[in-house]
Amino acid sequence: MSDETQQTRSDEPVIEVRDIGKRYGNIIALSDVSTSVRAGAVTCVLGDNGAGKSTFIKILAGAHQHTDGTLLVDGEETTLSSPREALDRGIATVYQDLAVVPLMPVWRNFFLGSEVRKGFGPTSRLDIAAMKRTTKEELAAMGIDLRDADQPIGTLSGGERQCVAIARAVYFGARVLILDEPTAALGVKQSGVVLKYIAKARERGLGVVFITHNPHHAFPVGDRFVILRRGRSIGDFSKTDLSMDDLTSMMAGGAELESLAAELEKTMAGTALAEEMKAKVKQ
Ligand code: ADP
């Protein structure tokens, strides 16, 4: 099945949004977001808490429907009416709180709900050997050397668990992977592991939507960057259009941090706090 996921890099985006938005009654959760997701490319969605990231994912994942703007999948205007419909169109979402059963072996989690059976009718039974083999192979294809497909998934590190979820989505035919803050709860090393798999998924021709609030995680793997602030897009940039510094200062708080630092500089020049703020702005 993994052959089906080997997408050719075409010029047409798999997903495109034009001035998309979402209102909940009178509350505007998201407005005017435009960007695209292409096969073999990573679109990063950056924003601080409350910026609208979850709302945006829910629209792409089919969990909520947009109320403004246009959503195109394979060039065709559409509304994704359920997560099932999004999945059927090859859009898979890996949420931060992964739906795994910690005590079950890795292979069982990999195939949960889509078990492989051998034989037919009432005498059919689980093809455990095939599932273990496939799990190992698919994880190896993503660069994860699993010692034993039988080990409980709960014994893997947070980063590895994210990677199993990514490999699973790829195996079951995803063309676009939406990753909901996969590095948010991880330390530096584990984040590096996940970023490597994001790059791997891109190499395999998938389109990736990588949600994060960390420009240091987004910049190395991203091809496009959408920055959200308080429910609005403040830009959709290609990597050639911006530097790491631009991305950092555009992130929520960037501008505020600068003016706060300038303010502190005036009133508290030379104090430790002013120096600390200046350093933060420079980071
Ligand atoms: P993020 O994921 O970036 O933290 P969200 O998409 O969760 O941001 O939220 C964006 C804004 O939309 C917030 O101000 C939030 O309060 C509002 N919002 C999100 N979901 C709902 C909802 N179901 N009803 C009303 N307002 C909502």
Side-chain angles (χ1 to χ4, degrees), residues 250-273:
M250 262 188 283
M251 269 294 294
E256 285 93 315
L257 215 57
E258 265 172 50
S259 65
L260 186 58
E263 194 91 337
L264 282 171
E265 180 67 25
K266 266 191 252 152
T267 55
M268 310 167 69
T271 65
L273 181 58

Side-chain angles (χ1 to χ4, degrees), residues 116-127:
V116 178
R117 305 190 75 85
K118 57 181 173 187
F120 296 98
T123 60
S124 79
R125 52 205 166 81
L126 292 180
D127 193 346

Side-chain angles (χ1 to χ4, degrees), residues 8 81 105 144 160 210 241 254 256 279:
T8 49
S81 56
I144 307 171
E160 286 169 333
F210 174 27
D241 296 337
E256 285 93 315

Side-chain angles (χ1 to χ4, degrees), residues 24 27-30 47-56 58 64 231:
Y24 294 100
I27 301 169
I28 302 171
L30 194 72
D48 222 330
N49 289 340
K53 302 183 301 296
S54 310
T55 306
F56 184 63
K58 283 177 189 152
H64 286 180

Side-chain angles (χ1 to χ4, degrees), residues 33 35 42 96 107 116 158 164 200 240 259 276:
V33 179
T35 190
V42 178
Q96 201 184 82
W107 69 267
V116 178
V164 172
K200 260 276 191 287
T240 47
S259 65
E276 194 182 313

Side-chain angles (χ1 to χ4, degrees), residues 22-226:
K22 172 76 183 171
R23 278 171 282 126
Y24 294 100
N26 289 332
I27 301 169
I28 302 171
L30 194 72
S31 65
D32 299 321
V33 179
S34 299
T35 190
S36 53
V37 184
R38 287 167 199 278
V42 178
T43 299
C44 298
V45 179
L46 290 117
D48 222 330
N49 289 340
K53 302 183 301 296
S54 310
T55 306
F56 184 63
I57 303 178
K58 283 177 189 152
I59 294 170
L60 299 187
H64 286 180
Q65 286 69 48
H66 58 284
T67 50
D68 298 286
T70 314
L71 166 67
L72 298 111
V73 178
D74 298 317
E76 183 190 313
E77 194 172 332
T78 188
T79 295
L80 297 168
S81 56
S82 66
R84 184 70 255 171
E85 189 184 343
L87 260 182
D88 287 345
R89 303 201 64 167
I91 303 167
T93 308
V94 175
Y95 288 101
Q96 201 184 82
D97 49 347
L98 299 168
V100 295
V101 187
L103 290 176
M104 274 193 182
V106 177
W107 69 267
R108 280 230 71 151
N109 274 284
F110 195 96
F111 281 94
L112 208 58
S114 309
E115 285 80 2
V116 178
R117 305 190 75 85
K118 57 181 173 187
F120 296 98
T123 60
S124 79
R125 52 205 166 81
L126 292 180
D127 193 346
I128 294 171
M131 286 189 276
K132 284 186 188 174
R133 197 174 53 241
T134 306
T135 302
K136 274 201 88 145
E137 280 168 8
E138 289 302 310
L139 291 180
M142 297 292 290
I144 307 171
D145 182 20
L146 190 67
R147 264 150 291 157
D148 183 1
D150 253 330
Q151 74 189 89
I153 199 162
T155 62
L156 299 183
S157 69
E160 286 169 333
R161 262 177 281 167
Q162 287 281 347
C163 297
V164 172
I166 294 172
R168 181 181 196 277
V170 173
Y171 177 73
F172 285 104
R175 299 187 296 144
V176 171
L177 263 181
I178 303 173
L179 305 176
D180 174 22
E181 304 221 34
T183 57
L186 304 178
V188 177
K189 195 162 166 241
Q190 289 292 315
S191 294
V193 172
V194 172
L195 294 177
K196 208 171 95 192
Y197 300 122
I198 293 176
K200 260 276 191 287
R202 176 182 55 190
E203 269 169 37
R204 289 184 71 169
L206 274 92
V208 180
V209 181
F210 174 27
I211 319 290
T212 178
H213 56 259
N214 191 333
H216 298 274
H217 291 175
F219 197 74
V221 293
D223 297 288
R224 286 208 81 73
F225 303 89
V226 186

